[in-house]
Amino acid sequence: MHNVVIIGSGCAGLTAAIYAARANLKPLVLDGHEPGGQLSLTTHVENYPGFPDGIMGPELIENMRKQAQKFGTEFKAGAVTEVDLSKRPFRIIAGKETYEAKALIVAAGASARLLGLQGEKELIGHGVSTCATCDGYFFRGKPIAVVGGGDSAMEEANFLSRYASKVYLIHRRNEFRASKIMIDRAKANEKVEFTTPFVVEEIVAPQGHVEGARLRNPETKEAREITVDGVFVAIGHDPNSIVFKGKLEMDANGYLIAKHGSLTGVPGVFIAGDVQDHRYRQAVTAAGSGCMAAIDAEKFLEEHTH
Ligand code: NAP
C-alpha cells in the first residue's frame, strides 16, 4: 500500500514527487511509456527559470528525477493499463503489476502528434520540433516549415516569423480548421507562405539534421521540394488519458478537467501537467501544477488518516 502513486515521470510528475517525498509520503512514480515526458524529447531549454545559459531538456528532467530520488521517491517502469478509482485504496494496474494507493496523482502528460515519417522522431532536436515556443529561437534568420491547419499551426507560423527568414505553412487541404482571425493574421504576415494543399512526404536530412522537405500535392500529384532548416509539426496533441475514460471528467478532446487547482470529481485523485492543460503546455507550468497536486494530496491524506 502506497500513500501516493504518481502516474507519469515528466516535469509535472517529478515535481509532485519532490514535494510528496519531502513531505515524507514516500511516493511511487510509475514511469509510463515516455519516461521523462516531452522534455526528454527536446534539446536546449532556455525558458525554464534558473538556468540563464539554458539547459538540455534530458539533463533538466534527469536532475528532477535525482532530486525526487534523493528525498525517497521510488520509481517503477511500466505504463498503466487500468485503474480502479471506485473505492479507496485506488488500484492501479501496469501490465502484470497491481499497486494500491491512498491518493493518486495523474501526471500522464500529452504526446505531440507526429506525421509518421521515416526518421522524423530521431530528428526531434535536430530540426524537427513540436514546440515553437521552445525551439523557435534556434531558427533565427533561417527558413522553416510549419505543418498543420489548426489554430496551433497558425499561431506557431506567426510566432516563428519573428525569428525565421521565411515560414512555409504546409497543410494537406485548402480549407483550415483554424479560426478565421488566426488565418487572417497568418495570411497578412509577409513572411508566411501558404503552401496548400501539400503533404510532407519526406524530411530531407542526409547529415542528420533538417535541410529540406519533399512535398506532394494530393490533388494534382505535383511534387515540390523546399529548403528549410526546421520543420515544426503542429498537428495537435493527444492527452494520455485513455485509461481514465468514464472514471475522471474529461473534455471532448480527452483532456482531464481540474476543479479548484488539482482536484477532480474523485476525492483523493489529483491531476497535473499536460494531461489537463492544452493551453500553456510549458515545463514551468507543468512543474507548478505538479507542486499543487502534491500539496493537495498531502492535505487530503492528513484529513483522511483516521
Ligand atoms: P487541431 O485543431 O486538431 O488541428 C490539427 C490540424 O492538423 C488540422 O488542420 C489537421 O488537418 C492537421 N493534421 C492532423 N493530422 C495530420 C496529419 N497526420 N498530417 C497532416 N496534417 C494533419 O489541433 P490544434 O491546432 O493543435 O488545436 C487544438 C485545440 O487547441 C483547438 O481547439 C484549437 O482551437 C485550440 N488552440 C487555440 C489557440 C488559440 O486560440 N490561440 C491556439 C492553439 C490551439 P485536417 O484539418 O485536414 O484534419
Side-chain angles (χ1 to χ4, degrees):
M1 167 76 78
H2 297 272
N3 292 314
V4 188
V5 167
I6 299 168
I7 299 177
S9 57
C11 212
L14 293 180
T15 305
I18 292 166
Y19 273 78
R22 290 190 79 255
N24 268 339
L25 292 172
K26 296 194 170 43
L28 168 69
V29 172
L30 300 176
D31 261 332
H33 59 82
E34 260 174 35
Q38 291 185 64
L39 269 184
S40 63
L41 300 175
T42 56
T43 47
H44 211 207
V45 178
E46 288 183 323
N47 52 11
Y48 198 86
F51 299 93
D53 300 321
I55 182 166
M56 296 303 278
E59 188 187 350
L60 177 59
I61 204 75
E62 189 52 35
N63 285 347
M64 289 186 199
R65 199 174 171 101
K66 281 191 197 138
Q67 200 174 347
Q69 249 156 357
K70 178 173 130 183
F71 295 111
T73 302
E74 191 188 341
F75 287 87
K76 294 265 189 199
V80 173
T81 43
E82 208 184 320
V83 289
D84 181 358
L85 310 181
S86 61
K87 55 182 185 307
R88 291 198 298 272
F90 306 120
R91 291 175 75 236
I92 301 110
I93 300 165
K96 290 188 183 124
E97 303 290 333
T98 298
Y99 305 97
E100 286 190 328
K102 294 180 193 168
L104 177 66
I105 295 175
V106 180
S111 305
R113 290 187 201 135
L114 289 174
L115 295 164
L117 297 171
Q118 203 186 353
E120 184 186 15
K121 207 166 183 180
E122 292 71 36
L123 285 168
I124 289 177
H126 303 280
V128 171
S129 172
T130 54
C131 179
T133 327
C134 319
D135 299 328
Y137 192 71
F138 304 122
F139 295 88
R140 274 163 299 171
K142 295 181 173 161
I144 55 119
V146 172
V147 187
D151 282 333
S152 295
M154 299 301 145
E155 192 169 76
E156 300 213 342
N158 270 326
F159 175 78
L160 290 164
S161 72
R162 291 190 211 166
Y163 307 105
S165 56
K166 180 179 181 76
V167 178
Y168 293 93
L169 185 99
I170 301 165
H171 179 42
R172 59 187 176 186
R173 299 187 294 140
N174 283 322
E175 301 75 39
F176 295 94
R177 232 173 249 267
S179 46
K180 188 167 181 313
I181 187 168
M182 303 286 279
I183 301 168
D184 289 348
R185 210 173 284 157
K187 283 204 164 146
N189 189 323
E190 289 175 349
K191 281 192 186 172
V192 178
E193 179 180 323
F194 277 65
T195 313
T196 68
F198 274 99
V199 293
V200 181
E201 283 199 326
E202 188 188 336
I203 297 170
V204 182
Q207 320 272 359
H209 55 85
V210 173
E211 293 178 23
R214 290 205 179 92
L215 316 178
R216 171 100 41 206
N217 182 320
E219 291 167 10
T220 62
K221 308 294 171 212
E222 173 202 345
R224 185 168 169 194
E225 186 157 344
I226 54 170
T227 303
V228 287
D229 288 84
V231 175
F232 285 79
V233 182
I235 59 171
H237 283 76
D238 292 315
N240 301 315
S241 62
I242 202 141
V243 299
F244 303 102
K245 206 162 181 195
K247 295 171 184 177
L248 292 177
E249 200 182 334
M250 53 180 75
D251 68 15
N253 296 317
Y255 284 93
L256 301 181
I257 298 173
K259 304 169 197 285
H260 312 297
S262 75
L263 275 62
T264 66
V266 180
V269 178
F270 306 91
I271 57 181
D274 284 10
V275 76
Q276 51 88 59
D277 170 25
H278 53 81
R279 183 173 168 84
Y280 302 105
R281 296 178 182 146
Q282 301 300 300
V284 68
T285 49
S289 67
C291 158
M292 287 158 62
I295 290 174
D296 288 338
E298 187 189 350
K299 253 200 150 49
F300 173 84
L301 289 170
E302 248 170 44
E303 286 162 8
H304 292 81
T305 333
H306 305 294

